[in-house]
Amino acid sequence: MAVESATGTSDAPRTTDRTRASDKTMTMREAVAAHVRDGDTVSLEGFTHLIPTAAGHEIIRQGRRDLTVIRMTADIVVDQMLAAGCVSRLVSSFVGNSSAGSLGELRRRVEHADPEPLAFEEYSHYGMICRYMAGAQRLPFYPLRSYGGSDLPDVNPALRKVTSPYPGPDGEPEEIYVVPPVNPDVTIVHAQRADRSGNTQVWGLTGVQAEAVYAARKAVVVVEEVVEDEVVRSDPNRTLIPAHAVDAVVVCPRGAHPSFAQGYYDRDNAFYRAWSGISKDKERLTAWLDEWVHGTGDHAEYVAKLGEEFWDGLAVGEAMSLPVNYGRRL
């Protein structure tokens, strides 16, 4: 598979085999086997909420190597994939353990090249959003003002200036920063629900899931549940990602843990607090991966291993949204 070039684009042709009215459901094992290859550029998106952790674990189980991982907020799942030897390059706008501490494996790679160096390409949050938008729209670049006065262009040569073809406020041509597009080989996102053809609905905190899906050549949507078409049609404005942009639908309840899925389960703050200590110690991190990822056949085993009492502690109460009358012809 093609990988992202130094400017963030790939020369592979865009795939066009997505169908609108078909059953795209498959297991996580099948989806990763079909759509993630060694050397691929893989986007894993979800901003604090709906992080595709279970997908990252399956990539680890299948032993993928030399991946370029694109994730705006590189956090625990990236640390785990690094420790498992899956990732050789990271493209991100934030690295850290979500206000709860540090990422031990990522720090070892960046600060000490231990056990090997990590190629790291850094952008701002908005810079990454612009990259996804450029990729989704098949544009050669995307302009933005927020790098003016920043030192990021000094460390990232992909941040460049172009001269606007239009006059600025003073009537003279203006120079403005631009970022390159990104077109992942595959984007994987987590969501609350989808129908079997891939119409995917999200509520609560959203990120750049839709842009990341549209920018990619293939897209895998992991959901808490699959619902009938009528459920999606009854509330169409919640459909963030339409079926024509989706190649696989994976049903994986609790697949965003330790992050949360609005309306399904809460964030596991205790795990976030514990991770800094786990990842700081290489032997302890390896043991965690051996027990919780390599030692489980799939995410269902991971969920069962945690136990129902644990999940009861992350249960959420109801906060129902009122029905909306869309109206219909009589």
Side-chain angles (χ1 to χ4, degrees), residues 105-216:
E105 184 66 20
L106 189 145
R107 292 192 67 164
R108 284 189 288 273
R109 298 293 180 96
V110 172
E111 295 175 358
H112 306 292
D114 176 19
E116 57 188 14
L118 172 69
F120 178 49
E121 189 173 338
E122 184 179 4
Y123 296 83
S124 64
H125 275 343
Y126 186 57
M128 283 298 300
I129 292 170
C130 290
R131 292 199 69 195
Y132 278 127
M133 290 195 294
Q137 298 173 54
R138 300 310 189 260
L139 294 173
F141 55 80
Y142 207 96
L144 68 168
R145 294 189 181 278
S146 56
Y147 288 126
S150 167
D151 60 359
L152 270 179
D154 295 335
V155 298
N156 186 347
L159 303 177
R160 302 174 187 176
K161 281 185 174 180
V162 299
T163 301
S164 171
Y166 303 104
D170 60 0
E172 296 297 322
E174 180 182 12
E175 282 201 329
I176 190 166
Y177 276 104
V178 297
V179 291
V182 60
N183 295 109
D185 291 301
V186 60
T187 286
I188 305 175
V189 298
H190 197 95
Q192 279 103 333
R193 68 189 184 197
D195 61 24
R196 291 182 176 275
S197 64
N199 291 300
T200 303
Q201 298 196 321
V202 176
W203 55 95
L205 181 63
T206 59
V208 292
Q209 291 98 322
E211 292 85 351
V213 163
Y214 276 121

Side-chain angles (χ1 to χ4, degrees), residues 270-285:
F271 185 87
Y272 279 94
R273 289 191 295 270
W275 184 254
S276 291
I278 294 170
S279 65
K280 186 177 182 179
D281 184 327
K282 291 178 69 172
E283 291 186 2
R284 191 177 173 191
L285 175 51

Side-chain angles (χ1 to χ4, degrees), residues 209-225:
Q209 291 98 322
E211 292 85 351
V213 163
Y214 276 121
R217 290 167 182 79
K218 297 283 186 177
V220 176
V221 171
V222 184
V223 293
E224 293 295 318
E225 61 176 327

Side-chain angles (χ1 to χ4, degrees), residues 2 8 19 26 55 93 119 136 144 171 180 221 238 262 267 269 283 308:
T19 56
M26 58 180 69
S93 52
L144 68 168
V221 171
R238 292 196 203 278
Q262 190 76 40
R267 188 177 190 265
N269 291 311
E283 291 186 2
E308 282 307 312

Side-chain angles (χ1 to χ4, degrees), residues 93-107:
S93 52
F94 165 90
V95 295
N97 182 9
S98 299
S99 76
S102 222
L103 301 176
E105 184 66 20
L106 189 145
R107 292 192 67 164

